[in-house]
Amino acid sequence: MRPDVKAFYDAPTGSVQYVVADPVSAHCAIIDPVLDFDRSAGRFSTTNADTILDYISRRGLAVDWILDTHPHADHMSAAHYLHDRTGAPTAIGARVIEVQGIWQERYDLPALKADGRQWNRLLADGDVVQVGGMELCTVAAPGHTLASVIYSIGDAAFINDTIFMPDSGTARTDFPGGSAEDLWQTISRIKDFPAEMRLFAGHDYRPQGRELAFESSLASQEGNTHLAGRSRQQFIQERQARDRTLPFPDLMLLALQVNLDGGRWPGADGAGRRFLKMPVEVGW
Ligand SMILES: N[C@@H](CCC(=O)N[C@@H](CS)C(=O)NCC(=O)O)C(=O)O
Ligand SMILES: [Fe+2]
């Protein structure tokens, strides 16, 4: 079975959001929707999510699920906003609870309940949900984050931040809970997918300004710039060396507060004010 896949690109964060639909029943799932955040103005908006809602209503699609592949560190998730607008249940990888624990401690977020209650469903390896008449399967995919999962449905696999387009290599593994060893293992699982799978990436950073691309195949990934000809040991060493050179994503410390709360922007106080907390360090 071949589901319809529609991609929506968020240029500021290089994120690819997807609507995957069962063509027979016209039911769909939304994967990794982006909530817009203007960092300098401290302003949330919903342009990306509203574009997706508009597409869904024009196509007459029923939304069965709103899914995140991992707690994103580089952008805010629009899962909760879309849940409010559509009533569809939200879900994320079950190990998000461990990630909530890590960040709650590091950044002192006592109000955050680290038990996954922010989503309607937590999906573990092998869990299956229905999208219309099609089955969407969860494959645990730790490495980039502990909680990362891949969603596969028919011949489409949403591999998010594991491997990107072959010219872009692989996802970083230096966030708390990330692991280059785990990512190698996850990539081995991807290599075992059926040869005809369409692989959809979670980001495209358009290296050398090339045209946007987000769909690859197992055959094309044999030339992946971080993987081709590498042994496990070489991959891990090179991945970790590259990770040491990468600055944190611009939005990380703010995005995690929203994303570990299921994509909820901060609640208003009595005066209608909303705050995110900016943790700082002192050291020289
Ligand atoms: N400059 C970007 C960096 C985004 C980033 O770190 N992306 C992650 C995925 S969430 C990644 O794996 N990047 C791969 C790489 O830069 O090698 C930002 O500030 O948001
Ligand atoms: Fe990511």
Side-chain angles (χ1 to χ4, degrees):
M1 276 291 283
R2 196 177 162 87
D4 290 336
V5 176
K6 171 79 178 167
F8 299 85
Y9 187 60
D10 178 52
T13 63
S15 303
V16 194
Q17 317 158 81
Y18 294 99
V19 173
V20 57
D22 168 12
V24 176
S25 64
H27 282 232
C28 73
I30 301 170
I31 301 179
D32 285 339
V34 172
L35 184 63
D36 306 82
F37 183 69
D38 176 342
R39 188 197 168 105
S40 48
R43 185 179 299 123
F44 288 96
S45 58
T46 56
T47 308
N48 271 297
D50 290 335
T51 301
I52 292 174
L53 286 173
D54 182 56
Y55 169 79
I56 283 167
S57 92
R58 277 190 291 108
R59 291 278 313 270
L61 298 173
V63 184
D64 286 355
W65 286 97
I66 300 158
L67 304 170
D68 270 300
T69 56
H70 61 294
H72 305 281
D74 65 311
H75 66 266
M76 319 275 192
S77 164
H80 187 71
Y81 171 73
L82 288 168
H83 168 74
D84 259 1
R85 293 293 309 274
T86 64
T90 58
I92 195 167
R95 295 187 72 188
V96 75
I97 292 175
E98 292 167 64
V99 180
Q100 284 178 320
I102 292 173
W103 285 91
Q104 186 180 48
E105 239 172 68
R106 257 173 213 242
Y107 293 112
D108 180 32
L109 303 170
L112 178 74
K113 301 285 181 284
D115 58 7
R117 69 175 67 185
Q118 296 82 355
W119 294 269
N120 298 108
R121 176 97 189 251
L122 297 180
L123 294 167
D125 192 47
D127 281 350
V128 174
V129 297
Q130 284 303 124
V131 176
M134 299 186 76
E135 293 192 332
L136 179 140
C137 311
T138 309
V139 180
H144 174 56
T145 76
L146 258 180
S148 294
V149 292
I150 290 169
Y151 298 116
S152 78
I153 170 168
D155 73 345
F158 297 89
I159 58 170
N160 70 84
D161 303 0
T162 54
I163 47 183
F164 299 121
M165 291 303 287
D167 61 358
S168 300
T170 58
R172 65 193 293 175
T173 58
D174 57 318
F175 300 154
S179 153
E181 288 86 352
D182 286 355
L183 185 58
W184 176 264
Q185 177 62 28
T186 288
I187 292 167
S188 309
R189 285 191 82 177
I190 294 173
K191 287 181 181 161
D192 288 339
F193 286 176
E196 67 277 10
M197 283 308 258
R198 294 180 284 160
L199 308 178
F200 293 97
H203 289 287
D204 188 49
Y205 298 115
R206 306 183 55 218
Q208 271 85 55
R210 72 133 164 72
E211 271 199 32
L212 174 65
F214 43 79
E215 179 181 341
S216 64
S217 62
L218 285 170
S220 68
Q221 289 291 357
E222 278 169 28
N224 186 295
T225 171
H226 291 177
L227 297 170
R230 311 303 205 284
S231 66
R232 176 180 183 277
Q233 211 44 46
Q234 278 171 320
F235 168 75
I236 291 168
Q237 246 163 40
E238 290 176 23
R239 184 64 262 176
Q240 290 173 339
R242 178 170 160 74
D243 285 344
R244 282 191 287 274
T245 70
L246 298 175
F248 279 157
D250 290 340
L251 281 179
M252 181 168 86
L253 299 175
L254 302 178
L256 260 311
Q257 293 169 59
V258 169
N259 293 340
L260 292 175
D261 202 18
R264 286 167 182 80
W265 51 66
D269 68 9
R273 298 170 303 191
R274 301 171 192 276
F275 298 94
L276 288 169
K277 195 163 168 178
M278 181 64 203
V280 296
E281 280 176 25
V282 175
W284 49 78

